[in-house]
Amino acid sequence: MNVSMQWLNDYIKATIDPKDLAEKFSLHAQEVADVTPLYQAEGLVLGRVLKTETIPDSKNKKCQVQVGDAIRTIVCGAPNVAAGQDVIVADIGATLPGGIQIKTAKINGIESAGMIVSLDEIGLDKKYHQETGIHVLEPAGADSLDTLGFNDQVIELELTPNRMDLMSMLGVAYEVSALYEVPLTLPKVTVKESNQVNPVKTVIDTDLCDAYYGRVIDDITIKESPEWLKNRLIAAGIRPINNIVDVTNYVMIDLGQPLHAFDLDTIPSETIRVKAAEADETFTTLDGQERTLQKGDILITDGKKPIALGGVMGGLDTEVSLKTTRVFLESALFNATRIGQTSRRLDLRSEASLRFERGIAHDRALLALDKAAQMMANLGGGTVAQGISKAERNVHTPWDISLPLSRVNGVLGTALTIDEAKQILSRLHLDVTVQGDVLMVLVPVRRLDIKTEQDLIEEIGRVYGYNQLPITLPSTNTEGGLTAYQRKRRQIKRHLEGLGLFEAITYSLTHPDKEKGFTEAKGTHVLRPLSEDHQSLRQTLIPSLLDVLKYHHARQMESVHVFEMGHVYLTEETETLALALSGPWHEAPWKVARPLDFFVLKGVITHVLDLFGVTATFKPAMLPALHPHQTAELVVDGNVVGFCGAVHPKTLNAYDLKEAFVVEISIGKLKAYFNEENRYIPVSKMPSVKRDVAFIVDEALPAESLIKAALDAHVDHLYDVEIFDVYTGKPLLDTEKSLALRLYFNDKTGTFKTADIDRLMDQLTAHLTQTLNIRIRT
């Protein structure tokens, strides 16, 4: 929001330094980004060209220009300079953009005292004008450029979404009045109506419109706006177009109420009907684009066909043009959520849609309508027809909030009296009464951000001054420290970093299409997403980590191994650990890198699960986004706690990757197995014995099942089992494979004898052959 200081003076008559206002506004209200002059030039004055003479053998002209009481000779090369024009003159000593100093100079042998300037030469961006020569002012009887708004200062505000009340000059004036404790001059509008009666009737057929008002202005002449109006729009960051469109934009910035003007003669009906669009209904907007609408978009119709997309953009057929003589002026209150959804989906964000989206002060709709109608009549030579077209459904009224003084002082740490608190709220132009030690506040509809007593406390705190609040340390009887789970999280991160992985932090919002193939759960969508790519809460971390791999691979980084510990949002919010690996494992220039495969992935997973003291079974699974033969569920005590696998080739192509392996583990589910207690197991003084044995098993039997069966046999002194060889081929059948086990035994009380080990091995092999229906490979 850009604030014109000259415009602000319409409401605040006190003299206020722009830089002082910027400092105070940043401290007590909202952040100020910058304070700049409207035009990047100093020393500009108003001049009138009295006479011009062509200079022989030159395109330049010798001009006699009246500046104040003096008459100056100025040589000008602009082709459009002529006698009788009011122009902008850079006087001797003036400074133009780029630090150019204006001095007396001889041009074509003639001493030139100053410069007649164009808008480009005083720093106005081309997006605000299409002029090629000097800027010629409309005769307005102004005695200085100040009157026309050329010597204005602009304050750029960085507004947070909740302060919709500051999206108008009147709203800013309310705030400035409170900060400086100066009177506020409220706008007064008197509409001079003609004898002609407004023939238009308005009807609302949808709950998405709270109110719809309109006025008719007859005998309008479309022309250029006066300089003061154009300069105020430029200060607000809006390009001037013509007097009718400029008035709608001016009043929107002034009062915060968006307006729209229709060419009434292009509307075949005298009934304006507001309705919700049907699915796949089409409409051509002002920019000539045919838009396909969704069910629930707000349409303004002539009773049969649409003439505007409510709150977003008008229609091409009813656009105000140079031929327009009758205008129907709209002032409406549309549903904020629906306007936001429609404007973002169609990529039609505008100053008007932004204000509807943030929230409109309902009590200004009629005020804005009257002010704009009278301005159009004044600037276009027209007349305002009698009566207002009016349809209402749900117009906001002020609401009450009770605020105990004890709550104010308890939250802020202050010792304000009831009168001091009342005085602060009254400065904000809130209606306040006192009942004992309770403040009864009537909140006006312009302050949609004040809904609870906490909001009122915030208002008191910021106006009182955050820098004046007492500094106190919070009292507590507990000592700071990490919880057991927080320590475990840090341990997991350190462990993964030690394995060579880098931590990534990605957005919690994503596009739902990215998650297809990784989860089938229905996502939670954001009502007002910031962008198309961030419209739903993520249900898996994998797509975001694949984006990380894609980003780094595009920059010639082939070996990328990352992890993230973050929250996903299924039926409830839960913490998840995800890994994404791509490229050689532990690549280094002095050694041969190990290729990345499923077993590397499995080893990393096993290390992580060891930190929780659990062992997972890798059960074959199918996920559309992962490879059908290299995907597994992680099962702990019968509960699926995650999945892992190689990324499917189609998914790899979507991310421009050659290979990738991913893991996702629900930390929330593993919490049930977490035990902070660490038990010390003494190291045996006796030597361990290891024996190898190979079994011929069914090709489909998981190696893990064999290990688990060996440990479940509860053979004395057996403490570890591992697979050290897998063999397929002759003389085995095609449906068979050989799994070789390495068994570790230890007796803490003595040294094993060969007979003891043989007995234990016989006991174990007998158990395995009977339990799994397998045989020893000889």
Side-chain angles (χ1 to χ4, degrees), residues 142-443:
D143 56 1
S144 71
L145 292 180
D146 286 343
T147 308
L148 299 175
F150 279 89
N151 293 327
D152 199 359
Q153 293 284 318
V154 179
I155 298 177
E156 182 184 350
L157 302 181
E158 296 272 351
L159 298 182
T160 52
N162 64 308
R163 290 305 304 271
M164 68 290 290
D165 60 301
L166 295 179
M167 298 189 73
S168 67
M169 291 303 304
L170 180 55
V172 173
Y174 270 108
E175 195 73 16
V176 173
S177 171
L179 297 181
Y180 283 88
E181 298 186 68
V182 294
L184 173 68
T185 303
L186 293 174
K188 295 180 181 179
V189 178
T190 302
V191 179
K192 184 179 179 181
E193 296 181 331
S194 68
N195 295 327
Q196 194 75 21
V197 177
N198 177 359
V200 179
K201 177 185 177 182
T202 56
V203 180
I204 300 175
D205 287 338
T206 173
D207 292 335
L208 298 172
C209 180
D210 290 328
Y212 193 90
Y213 309 110
R215 274 192 178 275
V216 172
I217 302 95
D218 297 307
D219 303 321
I220 283 286
T221 300
I222 307 299
K223 58 183 179 180
E224 191 174 350
S225 296
E227 294 292 342
W228 68 267
L229 177 54
K230 290 192 288 186
N231 279 321
R232 287 197 172 181
L233 289 178
I234 291 170
I238 297 176
R239 179 173 65 89
I241 298 175
N242 60 50
N243 55 345
I244 301 304
V245 176
D246 290 351
V247 165
T248 62
N249 287 328
Y250 175 85
V251 174
M252 175 183 68
I253 300 298
D254 189 43
L255 300 178
Q257 171 66 47
L259 305 169
H260 184 70
F262 299 90
D263 185 333
L264 185 56
D265 290 328
T266 64
I267 302 176
S269 168
E270 291 186 348
T271 299
I272 301 295
R273 188 176 298 274
V274 186
K275 74 181 192 77
E278 299 297 330
D280 299 324
E281 192 170 351
T282 60
F283 172 65
T284 303
T285 48
L286 276 171
D287 54 5
Q289 298 291 318
E290 184 176 83
R291 313 282 179 175
T292 300
L293 308 181
Q294 289 185 0
K295 185 177 178 64
D297 288 337
I298 304 172
L299 276 181
I300 315 302
T301 73
D302 60 9
K304 295 183 179 179
K305 65 175 184 173
I307 58 175
L309 189 55
V312 179
M313 185 175 279
L316 184 63
D317 295 339
T318 57
E319 178 184 12
V320 172
S321 67
L322 292 175
K323 298 179 181 179
T324 300
T325 58
R326 298 176 71 216
V327 166
F328 177 74
L329 180 62
E330 164 198 284
S331 179
L333 303 172
F334 297 120
N335 180 272
T337 301
R338 192 69 220 187
I339 295 297
Q341 292 172 344
T342 302
S343 62
R344 277 189 296 275
R345 190 185 72 252
L346 299 178
D347 195 21
L348 289 175
R349 306 298 296 276
S350 65
E351 292 287 340
S353 67
L354 180 61
R355 282 164 174 78
F356 277 121
E357 187 177 341
R358 298 279 178 88
I360 296 294
H362 282 202
D363 59 349
R364 292 189 196 160
L366 286 172
L367 174 65
L369 180 69
D370 287 346
K371 182 168 186 173
Q374 191 58 51
M375 285 184 68
M376 287 181 181
N378 295 341
L379 299 178
T383 58
V384 181
Q386 287 184 27
I388 296 175
S389 307
K390 182 184 295 187
E392 296 177 333
R393 273 180 176 255
N394 178 31
V395 179
H396 295 169
T397 56
W399 53 93
D400 291 304
I401 300 177
S402 60
L403 177 62
L405 181 64
S406 58
R407 285 283 294 150
V408 176
N409 289 325
V411 172
L412 299 178
T414 54
L416 296 173
T417 65
I418 195 75
D419 290 334
E420 289 172 331
K422 177 184 177 182
Q423 191 266 343
I424 291 174
L425 292 174
S426 298
R427 283 167 57 184
L428 291 165
H429 299 271
L430 306 180
D431 189 1
V432 186
T433 57
V434 176
Q435 295 181 5
D437 285 335
V438 178
L439 298 160
M440 302 300 298
V441 183
L442 185 65
V443 182

